[in-house]
Amino acid sequence: MVVTSQGNPTTPVPPPSAAVATTAGRPGRPRTVRKPGRHTPTRSAAARRRDLPAALLLILPAVAGFAVFFAYPTLRGIYLSFTDFHVLTPPHWVGLANFREMSGDDVFWHSLLVTVYFVVLSVCFGTLISLVTAVVLHRVARSSVLRGVILLPFLISNVIAALVWQWMLDPQLGVVNIVLRHLTGHSILFFGSGGWAIPSLAAISIWKWMGYYALLIFAGLQTIPSTIYEAGRVDGASEVQMFRRLTVPLLRPILVMVVVLTVINSFQVFDIVQVTTRGGPANASNVLQMYIYDKAFRQFDFGYAATLSLALFALLITVTFTQLRLARAGESDLN
């Protein structure tokens, strides 16, 4: 009890920390103040915890497949790259000896240059042809049948595509050389000439993957608003100018993805080379994958082959991240 200056007693006022919280509009009704740091689990959180065992059970086959067919072979290959392993004998640790041998291997550097030549042809011409095809499908030809026909080569296996083109480019019976003899009077050794081997293989690869990459670019074209092209027409821009100034810049993320996929697929080319040229003539088409295959399954030097594979893996990672970094793949002018 507190006595005021007039002598009237008053009720003591509690400190602010002990004050009773009231709800707005209803004075005097206390409400519960939740202590900081405590969380009451909701129904959804409890349900998620109950579903966790079932979720783990469902993803277990995928995790097991990844561990058996991807993670373990990768780690095993990295280990074998530091060993001398010839199948019939146990692996013998040699440290960096295989890498020193690779640095002085002239066949390896020649195969790398041949592979880079193949990659450059596939990326430059493949991306350009796929881009033009996608733009034609989007702006001119809207037939679903035509789009399906362009995608058909992608559905054919690489071995079948290589066999068909090997027959078509045959110097004696090939359809292409028959036409060339009628037009020029002579035929071309597409797979038997050192100057024509890699361009011929790159043409097969471009034909095989063109439909798939064109479909990716076509999907990117669907995201560009039509109002942009309408504004370009109002400003008097031609179709070629809108292609250069609008379509290509707005497709940068898709084009970067297409280029990265083309580089990865081109560096790993093997089946069409094995079917058509087998690395010939005179190692003119001996790409890096062919050299790795020769070391592993013909010379049975699996340790050195694992070293070559690891070098190719490191090269692909470096090239991919460099492309994504320089091309600003995560940015788009549509933003």
Side-chain angles (χ1 to χ4, degrees):
M1 185 73 66
V2 180
V3 180
T4 61
S5 57
Q6 288 82 5
N8 298 326
T10 61
T11 304
V13 179
S17 59
V20 179
T22 60
T23 57
R26 294 183 180 180
R29 176 176 293 184
R31 64 181 177 89
T32 305
V33 179
R34 189 172 296 171
K35 294 183 178 181
R38 300 188 63 180
H39 173 69
T40 303
T42 62
R43 186 184 301 273
S44 59
R48 285 197 296 269
R49 285 198 297 268
R50 289 195 303 268
D51 293 339
L52 181 60
L56 294 177
L57 182 62
L58 291 175
I59 68 173
L60 181 60
V63 174
F66 175 81
V68 173
F69 297 106
F70 289 94
Y72 173 74
T74 301
L75 297 177
R76 177 71 172 172
I78 294 175
Y79 166 73
L80 291 178
S81 65
F82 296 94
T83 64
D84 182 16
F85 181 42
H86 290 81
V87 181
L88 299 180
T89 58
H92 175 65
W93 183 268
V94 294
L96 299 177
N98 289 333
F99 293 91
R100 288 192 293 267
E101 180 182 354
M102 182 182 66
S103 63
D105 190 350
D106 294 335
V107 180
F108 164 74
W109 292 110
H110 172 75
S111 300
L112 182 60
L113 291 177
V114 171
T115 306
V116 171
Y117 179 37
F118 177 85
V119 170
V120 170
L121 292 178
S122 299
V123 170
C124 294
F125 291 98
T127 304
L128 180 61
I129 294 175
S130 300
L131 176 61
V132 173
T133 303
V135 172
V136 170
L137 291 177
H138 181 255
R139 308 279 293 171
V140 180
R142 299 179 179 271
S143 173
S144 300
V145 176
L146 181 59
R147 297 171 185 174
V149 170
I150 291 178
L151 189 62
L152 278 179
F154 174 69
L155 305 178
I156 303 174
S157 69
N158 291 335
V159 174
I160 299 300
L163 288 173
V164 171
W165 277 98
Q166 186 181 28
W167 173 78
M168 293 177 62
L169 299 178
D170 185 87
Q172 300 298 328
L173 304 176
V175 177
V176 176
N177 272 311
I178 291 176
V179 175
L180 287 176
R181 279 197 297 268
H182 281 288
L183 295 177
T184 63
H186 63 275
S187 59
I188 298 177
L189 297 175
F190 288 100
F191 297 123
S193 172
W196 281 98
I198 288 298
S200 302
L201 294 172
I204 298 175
S205 178
I206 292 171
W207 174 83
K208 174 70 172 61
W209 290 93
M210 178 196 66
Y212 175 69
Y213 296 142
L215 184 63
L216 294 179
I217 298 174
F218 179 80
L221 289 171
Q222 302 293 322
T223 63
I224 301 178
S226 59
T227 54
I228 295 179
Y229 294 107
E230 294 174 0
R233 293 190 190 95
V234 171
D235 292 339
S238 63
E239 290 291 333
V240 176
Q241 290 175 331
M242 287 192 293
F243 175 78
R244 292 176 51 195
R245 304 285 180 86
L246 298 177
T247 303
V248 175
L250 294 176
L251 281 178
R252 184 175 64 244
I254 302 297
L255 292 177
V256 171
M257 181 183 67
V258 168
V259 170
V260 169
L261 291 177
T262 307
V263 169
I264 294 175
N265 290 329
S266 301
F267 265 107
Q268 296 179 349
V269 62
F270 171 76
D271 35 20
I272 62 175
V273 180
Q274 174 67 16
V275 171
T276 55
T277 65
R278 296 187 179 182
N283 286 336
S285 61
N286 189 24
V287 294
L288 194 53
Q289 288 282 9
M290 281 294 301
Y291 186 47
I292 295 173
Y293 173 83
D294 181 75
K295 279 291 182 180
F297 298 101
R298 292 179 182 172
Q299 304 180 27
F300 299 103
D301 191 356
F302 279 88
Y304 189 62
T307 303
L308 298 175
S309 300
L310 185 61
L312 177 60
F313 177 70
L315 178 63
L316 285 177
I317 290 180
T318 303
V319 171
T320 300
F321 278 95
T322 301
Q323 287 178 314
L324 295 176
R325 182 75 176 182
L326 295 179
R328 296 176 297 141
E331 302 178 10
S332 173
D333 293 338
L334 288 174
N335 298 331

